[in-house]
Amino acid sequence: MNKLQSLKIVVFLLLAATGCKVGEPYSRPNFDISDEFYGGPTYQDTISTGSRTLTEIKWAEFFDDPQLIGLIDTALANNLDMQRAVQNIEISMLDFKQSKANMYPTLGITPLGLNREYASENYANFGSNRSRNIHDGNPPSTLYTERLSYYNQISSSWEIDLWGKYRWQKDAALACYMQSEEFKKAVQTALVAEVAATYYTLLKLKAELEVAERNLSLNENTLRIVELQFEAGEATSLAIQQTKSQKLKFQSLIPQIKRNYSIQENRLNYLLGRSPQEVEIAGELENATFQNTYSTGVPLELITNRPDIASSEYALIASNAQVGIAKAMKYPSLSINAGIGMDAYQLSKLANPVESAFALLNGAIFQPVFMNGKLKNNHKKALARREIAQLDFKDNLIVAVKEVSDALVTIENLEEEYVLAEERIQTTKKGIMDAALLFRTGFANYLEVNTAQGDALESELNLIDLKMRILLANIDLYRSLGGGW
């Protein structure tokens, strides 16, 4: 009964000791972040009519383009970065499981072991096992077997988590696992944005090619008229040369656009996780639009909405756990070892449990005293790394708020510019018609026609570029707010 009572006391003390956990629990730092995004107030007022924030809208609903949705689906399934992110999550999960296992005793089995101790004539440590020597009579002066034993055993070892070292390791591993989850989300967000941007770039190049070919056709008609006028003595050779130069300028745009189209096509195939091949784009740039029945939310929501910011917070949590580990290493550690098995000097006697059985139990408390300041410096370094992680967390949040504000300002100003560009293109189209009519009736020369055609081409390409920049700004706003995963 006394032994049972003593055992209960020991167990109670061990349980009480494992309740100790040095270090500070994690608490999210307070950042001085504004309550709303700076810039683009008009655009925010326009889009705040909806009941949902932009990040609550799934990417398939946000883009609303069947072909683009299909491309994004393919990319999410086959993109190599996404596949690597999935494997990293699996590795982090296994690390987390391993960190939990460190808190429990280990168990090992030795089915059969052999100890054989060799000695010579002047060997000082003659044990009591000389009678077990395999030699009869006096042992030889050269190396001989002093001790021989066969054994099998079950052994266990357990380091009591007195100061929470293993619990902090578990917290750090959990934070790293969650960080890998957020990294996968960040990869997906970036991938959705990149596929969409590349798709719209292809639509842009497709529209530019149509404009270039149409203007080339107009310029060829002008050149034919100038050549006819030259033959009739109504125009000079200079007129032919300058009109032909303008035609070649328009014509040179076509291979440039085709080259860029092929490059973007290859990029899209890479994002889809496949080798370069032709991609049939059925959509038109002018039909690409985004809905505006949503709100941007508030900056602090970026902590949970944006995977990269959430990942930086998990990095801070892991750094805080590392501080706890470094602090726990400065305190005593308690380990318990136990074993049971059989040991015999002859293999035939090993199977006799009565005569060959043994059991052992030992414990040890280790207190580091002097380690050249290693433990103290490790703790200081862990504190410094935690401070860096907190600065990274704040930096990522500030950058995210800036990106959203930039996107809002960009969208608002680009839309104003787009309205003016549409007015300009109507003016240039009328200018082409008037210049062609006047040229045919002899009231305008070739220079005026060339100028009108060049101005029309520039205005059309500018309108296409503005449309593309508005689409990219909307994609960037969606990504900056943390949408897409």
Side-chain angles (χ1 to χ4, degrees), residues 125-332:
N125 189 21
F126 288 114
S128 60
N129 294 329
R130 178 180 292 275
S131 60
R132 300 178 184 175
N133 196 304
I134 61 173
H135 299 282
D136 294 329
N138 294 324
S141 59
T142 57
L143 286 178
Y144 64 94
T145 299
E146 157 65 14
R147 182 177 288 109
L148 174 65
S149 66
Y150 300 91
Y151 66 93
N152 55 32
Q153 67 175 351
I154 299 175
S155 59
S156 179
S157 177
W158 184 24
E159 181 179 344
I160 310 300
D161 193 21
L162 291 175
W163 313 109
K165 177 177 66 175
Y166 291 127
R167 281 169 286 168
W168 279 122
Q169 288 179 355
K170 185 189 73 171
D171 291 346
L174 177 60
C176 290
Y177 166 70
M178 297 304 298
Q179 190 176 12
S180 67
E181 287 276 8
E182 295 298 332
F183 178 76
K184 176 181 175 292
K185 294 177 184 178
V187 170
Q188 178 170 331
T189 298
L191 181 61
V192 168
E194 281 194 70
V195 172
T198 307
Y199 173 77
Y200 288 128
T201 301
L202 290 173
L203 292 182
K204 169 183 177 275
L205 293 170
K206 180 181 174 182
E208 288 179 344
L209 183 61
E210 293 174 356
V211 169
E213 291 176 342
R214 184 171 64 251
N215 279 271
L216 176 62
S217 178
L218 289 174
N219 196 261
E220 287 175 343
N221 291 333
T222 303
L223 179 59
R224 282 194 293 269
I225 294 174
V226 172
E227 288 174 342
L228 291 173
Q229 289 179 340
F230 175 75
E231 292 175 1
E234 298 176 359
T236 64
S237 60
L238 179 61
I240 295 178
Q241 291 173 0
Q242 291 186 332
T243 305
K244 185 178 291 185
S245 175
Q246 175 111 335
K247 169 183 168 293
L248 293 173
K249 178 182 178 181
F250 288 177
Q251 193 172 7
S252 66
L253 290 176
I254 295 176
Q256 294 177 24
I257 295 172
K258 289 182 176 180
R259 180 183 69 247
N260 292 332
Y261 188 94
S262 296
I263 292 173
Q264 292 298 320
E265 201 173 38
N266 292 339
R267 174 169 179 74
L268 180 58
N269 282 304
Y270 170 75
L271 294 174
L272 300 181
R274 65 192 187 191
S275 59
Q277 55 188 274
E278 184 179 359
V279 180
E280 292 290 342
I281 301 297
E284 299 292 338
L285 184 67
E286 62 182 2
N287 297 329
T289 58
F290 293 108
Q291 61 166 304
N292 58 2
T293 57
Y294 50 77
S295 64
T296 56
V298 296
L300 281 178
E301 291 177 343
L302 293 174
I303 295 178
T304 54
N305 291 338
R306 275 192 53 152
D308 57 333
I309 299 178
S311 176
S312 65
E313 183 175 24
Y314 283 121
L316 176 58
I317 294 173
S319 297
N320 184 71
Q322 292 297 332
V323 172
I325 294 172
K327 189 172 184 180
M329 293 293 291
K330 297 161 60 177
Y331 293 89

Side-chain angles (χ1 to χ4, degrees), residues 9-29:
I9 293 174
V10 171
V11 171
F12 173 77
L13 292 175
L14 289 177
L15 292 175
T18 54
C20 302
K21 187 179 181 181
V22 298
E24 301 176 0
Y26 172 77
S27 61
R28 178 178 293 172

Side-chain angles (χ1 to χ4, degrees), residues 360-461:
L360 61 90
L361 176 66
N362 60 64
I365 297 178
F366 174 75
Q367 169 64 58
V369 178
F370 179 71
M371 300 187 69
N372 297 322
K374 179 180 178 181
L375 298 178
K376 184 178 180 180
N377 289 334
N378 285 342
H379 184 235
K380 289 182 177 180
K381 288 191 291 184
L383 290 171
R385 292 191 184 99
R386 183 177 65 181
E387 184 65 25
I388 293 173
Q390 181 169 318
L391 293 174
D392 290 340
F393 182 24
K394 183 178 181 179
D395 181 68
N396 288 336
L397 181 58
I398 293 175
V399 169
V401 175
K402 170 189 172 297
E403 289 177 350
V404 174
S405 300
D406 289 347
L408 290 171
V409 172
T410 300
I411 292 173
E412 181 182 28
N413 287 276
L414 283 176
E415 288 184 340
E416 293 180 6
E417 190 177 352
Y418 188 80
V419 173
L420 297 174
E422 286 183 315
E423 293 180 7
R424 178 190 173 190
I425 204 168
Q426 295 301 323
T427 302
T428 56
K429 285 182 177 179
K430 187 176 184 303
I432 285 181
M433 295 174 61
D434 293 345
L437 180 61
L438 292 172
F439 182 60
R440 289 189 182 93
T441 56
F443 290 97
N445 58 36
Y446 71 94
L447 291 176
E448 293 172 308
V449 175
N450 288 343
T451 301
Q453 289 178 348
D455 193 30
L457 175 64
E458 181 185 348
S459 63
E460 286 189 86
L461 293 179

